[in-house]
Amino acid sequence: MPANDLRALVAYRGLLRGLVQRDLTVKYKGSILGVAWSLLHPLVMVAVYTLAFRYVVRVPIERFPLFLLSGLLPWMFFTSALSAATGSIADNGTLVRKVAFPRAVLPLAAVASALVQFALMYTVLVPTALVMGAGLSLSWAALLPVVLLQTAFTAGLGLLLATAYVFVRDARHLLDVALQVWFWLTPIVYAASLAPATLRRWLQLNPMMHFVTAYQQIVTQHVVPSLATFTLLAALAVSSLALGWTVFGRAQKRFAEYV
């Protein structure tokens, strides 16, 4: 995607902000609990997974609900952002065909909307950490760069999937299946250290494992990820965003023909 498209994207930041506001308004319109659903949803999921994996399967992880919540919330952000970004171009065909604006605004707005909801949901970690006796620490400040790097990584994949879905409508169905498999290959309901050594080597190839593990270290162990970890996360983010930006930029001229 040429540099002038990047400048146009900056110039249309008001449109991006408006799309995010629209998405959030539509999501909570007519809801009695409103934003509270963003807090209740992860808590209900944590209750279910805790019952299954702490008391039935008996996964030996201290403060399991906090461990689970610290990894589950970033995963929920990742999946909701990708799902919304995938259909962002094809589902707005009239807008794409008739209005001139940077097309990248649509998938990026989908990711930004999911990011806002993620920020709301993540607030439940504070009372959870206090109730479970884990407490808070200055290491939590390291969450900000991890979130920013995950957002960039997710945005890159969102641009790729939005492009794919315009030309191949099976992309959304394939994504749904892939995310279900990907969830179990990511150490969210279990710790990577509990996996067999041979499996751990394969898990290292999973980008989301590194993001989720970083969140878990910060929240449950009060450990700031190492420089090597941040370097890896940055490499994943830059690679994903660069690839998504390039593919999207080359394909966007043909979007109007297919939507």
Side-chain angles (χ1 to χ4, degrees):
M1 188 177 289
N4 60 340
D5 282 351
L6 180 59
R7 289 193 293 268
L9 186 61
V10 174
Y12 277 81
R13 60 187 179 278
L15 174 59
L16 189 149
R17 183 169 55 250
L19 289 172
V20 171
Q21 292 173 345
R22 182 202 65 179
D23 289 346
L24 295 174
T25 300
V26 170
K27 181 177 177 64
Y28 298 113
K29 184 178 181 180
S31 172
I32 296 176
L33 294 179
V35 177
W37 281 117
S38 293
L39 308 180
L40 290 175
H41 183 202
L43 291 177
V44 170
M45 293 186 66
V46 164
V48 172
Y49 281 122
T50 298
L51 178 63
F53 289 92
R54 190 69 178 92
Y55 298 104
V56 179
V57 181
R58 297 185 180 278
V59 175
I61 297 178
E62 187 180 5
R63 299 190 180 98
F64 182 76
L66 181 63
F67 172 86
L68 176 61
L69 197 59
S70 64
L72 184 61
L73 291 177
W75 177 261
M76 292 174 66
F77 161 48
F78 179 66
T79 57
S80 63
L82 287 189
S83 297
T86 297
S88 60
I89 299 295
D91 295 343
N92 289 281
T94 301
L95 191 63
V96 171
R97 289 192 302 269
K98 296 184 177 181
V99 181
F101 67 98
R103 304 306 189 229
V105 167
L106 294 173
L108 293 181
V111 174
S113 177
L115 176 61
V116 173
Q117 296 175 60
F118 171 57
L120 293 173
M121 289 190 297
Y122 217 76
T123 59
V124 302
L125 268 178
V126 175
T128 303
L130 295 175
V131 167
M132 301 209 68
L136 308 177
S137 74
L138 292 176
S139 64
W140 282 46
L143 288 171
L144 180 58
V146 176
V147 171
L148 293 176
L149 291 172
Q150 186 194 349
T151 301
F153 174 75
T154 305
L157 290 184
L159 289 166
L160 280 172
L161 288 168
T163 304
Y165 187 59
V166 169
F167 303 106
V168 182
R169 295 308 169 92
D170 289 334
R172 180 175 279 173
H173 302 296
L174 292 173
L175 174 64
D176 292 339
V177 175
L179 288 176
Q180 292 182 40
V181 176
W182 203 341
F183 173 82
W184 295 108
L185 293 177
T186 304
I188 297 172
V189 298
Y190 61 90
S193 59
L194 297 177
T198 53
L199 179 58
R200 282 201 299 271
R201 288 196 291 268
W202 288 103
L203 290 179
Q204 294 292 325
L205 300 177
N206 176 5
M208 281 304 295
M209 188 208 79
H210 302 288
F211 285 103
V212 166
T213 300
Y215 284 103
Q216 292 167 341
Q217 287 179 343
I218 294 169
V219 173
T220 65
Q221 302 173 30
H222 296 178
V223 173
V224 176
S226 65
L227 178 60
T229 296
F230 274 116
T231 301
L232 175 59
L233 298 184
L236 291 170
V238 171
S239 300
S240 173
L241 193 56
L243 179 61
W245 189 260
T246 301
V247 172
F248 188 93
R250 291 179 178 176
Q252 64 178 337
K253 293 181 180 180
R254 301 178 60 197
F255 287 168
E257 302 174 23
Y258 288 85
V259 298

